[in-house]
Amino acid sequence: MHIHSIETLPVAVPLTKPFKTALRTVTTAYAIYVKVTTDDGHTGWGEAPPTHVITGDSLGSITYAIQEVITPQLLGKDLRNREEIFRLLTGSIVRNTSAKAAVDMAIHDLLGQLAGLPLYQLLGGFRNELETDFTVSVNDPAEMADDAERYISNGFNVLKVKVGIGDISEDIARIRAIRARIGDGPKIRLDANQGWKPKEAVYAIGQMEDAGLAIELIEQPVHADDIDGLTYVTNHTLTPIMADESVFSAKDAKRVLERRAADLINIKLMKSGGIHEALKINALAESFGVQCMVGSMIETKLGITAAAHLAASQPNITRYDFDAPLMLAKDIVGGGIIYEGRRIHLPESAGLGLLQAEMDCIGKEEIQ
């Protein structure tokens, strides 16, 4: 099974409601789909959304990196020599992690097909069902409370609440409003998206602890490069702190783990460059006794399916942020994971579990 061709296809799907964080506002999910075809006619699929403010990748850069840099190095390679392929992919270009992730997904899809196993079983097979949180975009407190109440009424038990915009008192007011509306039962995890300074993060978290707001964890409270600040926040709060944008690679994870700069790590395929590096990050975290979450950008069900296979395969991955496809106006992906409210079921067919006939229709007409 040798790589015969690698194609890129642009897609765009509108969101049902604008997605707002401290870093950006998204109204349409754009992505580059990757289709890798082997000499015996098998196809594997991957996805790379442009997330300029986090990975630095754009639609143009993703397309160029795959077509002009990565593809020439991988054509003709034997999939059975997986470490050779992943070494070439990783070393083909500096950074450009989203482009690498899309190709990595497609290769893993094909490896699962070659083995005749669902990818989550090929990678470890720890579980076949997950439970996702649902994200509350950052807005004024009343609107966020309304959104939170609606998501809980729809059956979600865990909310990921975006903060980090405006004065720190506004963030505290947002969480107070949400907790008052939804009661004590549902879990709330916060994501500041690098929006706080270390001392104001400690102040805000302390205020929320004193108010009994029962926050499960705080994700990336300070700037990604401020490991000293991240360590300060972790050491001066009781609430668990999760590193997200601070960790792209296993090397980044090592720095955070050795300094005990965070209590948890959020792995995203678009940061790590795919499943191959993500497994290394998780294994390293596990060796330090640190659990991981697998999250995502604003992606369609294709990218989330790959991330879910990774998450389901490993016991140390204990939290899941896979709600992005539920925010989209339509589903353009054939097959893949199955949503039943907050529950996600992994497909039992080989690879990512995609329906190839439906996937082959993508790109034959404009997706909008």
Side-chain angles (χ1 to χ4, degrees):
M1 188 182 281
H2 295 74
I3 297 174
H4 175 70
S5 65
I6 300 177
E7 303 171 64
T8 56
L9 306 166
V11 300
V13 184
L15 276 67
T16 57
K17 177 184 173 73
F19 179 79
K20 299 179 182 179
T21 76
L23 295 173
R24 59 177 182 153
T25 297
V26 181
T27 58
T28 300
Y30 294 98
I32 298 297
Y33 278 11
V34 174
K35 179 182 179 182
V36 178
T37 304
T38 63
D39 54 359
D40 58 357
H42 287 81
T43 55
W45 291 83
E47 175 182 359
T51 315
H52 314 76
V53 294
I54 298 175
T55 66
D57 298 318
S58 67
L59 288 171
S61 70
I62 292 167
T63 301
Y64 183 89
I66 294 171
Q67 291 180 347
E68 303 299 329
V69 181
I70 295 171
T71 295
Q73 298 210 34
L74 298 188
L75 288 181
K77 296 301 178 182
D78 189 336
L79 283 171
R80 293 169 296 185
N81 300 329
R82 64 171 72 187
E83 285 299 326
E84 178 193 13
I85 289 175
F86 290 128
R87 180 178 288 271
L88 287 170
L89 176 60
T90 300
S92 62
I93 188 170
V94 175
R95 291 180 285 275
N96 286 270
T97 52
S98 299
K100 293 175 184 176
V103 177
D104 172 284
M105 287 180 201
I107 297 299
H108 276 95
D109 187 10
L110 287 165
L111 289 171
Q113 295 175 47
L114 179 63
L117 291 172
L119 182 58
Y120 79 91
Q121 289 185 346
L122 181 65
L123 297 177
F126 185 72
R127 57 177 75 83
N128 62 5
E129 183 178 299
L130 309 171
E131 181 176 329
T132 184
D133 58 19
F134 204 96
T135 304
V136 179
S137 289
V138 60
N139 287 294
D140 66 74
E143 182 176 353
M144 292 178 72
D146 289 343
D147 288 342
E149 184 177 35
R150 183 170 68 257
Y151 302 149
I152 295 299
S153 68
N154 288 339
F156 291 89
N157 288 333
V158 183
L159 298 179
K160 179 175 178 176
V161 180
K162 295 291 187 177
V163 291
I165 292 180
D167 187 81
I168 201 74
S169 62
E170 297 177 57
D171 281 334
I172 296 172
R174 290 171 172 126
I175 306 310
R176 285 183 180 274
I178 290 172
R179 182 56 84 190
R181 187 74 65 85
I182 67 174
D184 296 332
K187 290 183 180 180
I188 294 177
R189 51 184 65 147
L190 304 188
D191 186 0
N193 283 116
Q194 310 176 59
W196 294 339
K197 297 289 190 292
K199 287 188 177 181
E200 67 181 4
V202 170
Y203 169 78
I205 296 167
Q207 289 288 304
M208 288 184 275
E209 290 171 348
D210 291 344
L213 297 180
I215 306 304
E216 181 197 10
L217 60 89
I218 312 285
E219 186 175 339
Q220 199 63 47
V222 301
H223 193 275
D225 294 333
D226 189 3
I227 304 303
D228 286 339
L230 187 64
T231 306
Y232 176 83
V233 177
T234 299
N235 289 340
H236 289 83
T237 56
L238 297 176
T239 304
I241 303 300
M242 175 180 284
D244 179 6
E245 290 94 340
S246 292
V247 177
F248 274 57
S249 64
K251 183 177 180 180
D252 293 338
K254 182 174 182 287
R255 178 177 59 165
V256 168
L257 291 164
E258 286 182 339
R259 295 192 56 181
R260 298 289 178 181
D263 303 296
L264 302 156
I265 290 177
N266 188 358
I267 300 171
K268 293 176 181 173
L269 298 185
M270 294 307 121
K271 294 186 302 168
S272 68
I275 293 169
H276 189 252
E277 183 74 9
L279 286 167
K280 295 179 182 179
I281 295 171
N282 179 64
L284 185 60
E286 188 171 22
S287 72
F288 278 81
V290 171
Q291 294 179 355
C292 293
M293 177 163 83
V294 173
S296 62
M297 308 303 184
I298 297 299
E299 304 170 37
T300 73
K301 197 172 68 176
L302 175 52
I304 301 300
T305 291
H309 275 281
L310 165 68
S313 75
Q314 302 297 311
N316 192 58
I317 298 173
T318 57
R319 295 167 177 83
Y320 323 101
D321 180 27
F322 295 147
D323 57 345
L326 303 177
M327 302 178 186
L328 305 184
K330 59 182 176 180
D331 179 12
I332 65 172
V333 178
I337 54 174
I338 300 168
Y339 284 92
E340 289 184 0
R342 67 179 184 269
R343 301 194 183 281
I344 296 173
H345 302 278
L346 276 293
E348 294 302 321
S349 50
L352 293 180
L354 302 171
L355 301 176
Q356 296 298 338
E358 293 186 29
M359 295 301 296
D360 286 341
C361 293
I362 295 173
K364 292 183 179 178
E365 60 183 40
E366 184 178 1
I367 304 297
Q368 189 72 45

